[in-house]
Amino acid sequence: MISNVSGAALPHLRPASTPASNAASGLQPVVPDATDAATSGFRIDVSQVKPLSGAKVISAADNPHLRDLLATNWLRTHDASATQPLAADNAPENTYAQVKVDGKVVATLYNGGSSVMTNQAAAKVGKLEDPPGLSGPDLAQWRADRYAELGGTVEKASTAITQSQWTPRESRPTTYSREQLDAAFQAMVAEGQTAGAQQQSAYLASRAQAGTSADFSA
């Protein structure tokens, strides 16, 4: 029986699937010391600067690893922007049911299968192993029943859906084919050229309005 449970907050989140947690590392701010202040006035003698011998400009197109990395990021960015924004799994409109004890909400279940509960309820439930292969509303119902066994009652929400009505979120591909990467790189280059041309046109137009001219032929 779950008793003396505060319904003011539901801080314990239980996702539909629990990924491995990553430890966060703390970073300390760098405080400039006296050496930084002493060298802030350092100046380079231009007469002593010598050109690098044998140096040449390398394009991203000449580096296969960099080229594929840029193309992959471009594809992922455009996949994300093309996807219609969806409500979060734990949005109010995705509520499946609530578990109440003595009239107080101790757990909320969502259509995707995730749940959130009070710390006291989580302590009572402990480490509850979900059945393999269960997801969506079926998982939400199974969890609600297990929580209710501790002395609560399940109240299904008006926004609850059935398993057949539930559509899992699409997972984006993590790898792309050679053809996709090549096409993405070419599209990325074309976008960059178009953006550069637009910026140049805008600059020339602003200079023309000011009564000046600029030569970009060099």
Side-chain angles (χ1 to χ4, degrees), residues 58-75 176-190:
I58 300 177
S59 169
D62 300 326
N63 187 321
H65 177 73
L66 179 58
R67 174 191 172 104
D68 288 351
L69 179 62
L70 292 172
T72 298
N73 289 336
W74 188 90
L75 282 167
Y176 298 94
S177 66
R178 179 75 268 152
E179 291 76 13
Q180 287 176 307
L181 291 173
D182 290 343
F185 186 81
Q186 295 302 325
M188 182 185 69
V189 171

Side-chain angles (χ1 to χ4, degrees), residues 122-138:
K124 292 287 185 179
V125 170
K127 186 177 180 181
L128 190 64
E129 296 292 340
D130 299 323
L134 210 59
S135 61
D138 283 351

Side-chain angles (χ1 to χ4, degrees), residues 12-22 89 112-115 117 126-131 134 139 143 147:
H12 188 87
L13 175 64
R14 204 157 175 246
S17 59
T18 306
S21 61
N22 296 321
D89 285 336
S114 61
S115 62
M117 66 185 75
K127 186 177 180 181
L128 190 64
E129 296 292 340
D130 299 323
L134 210 59
L139 176 58
R143 286 183 172 181
Y147 301 162

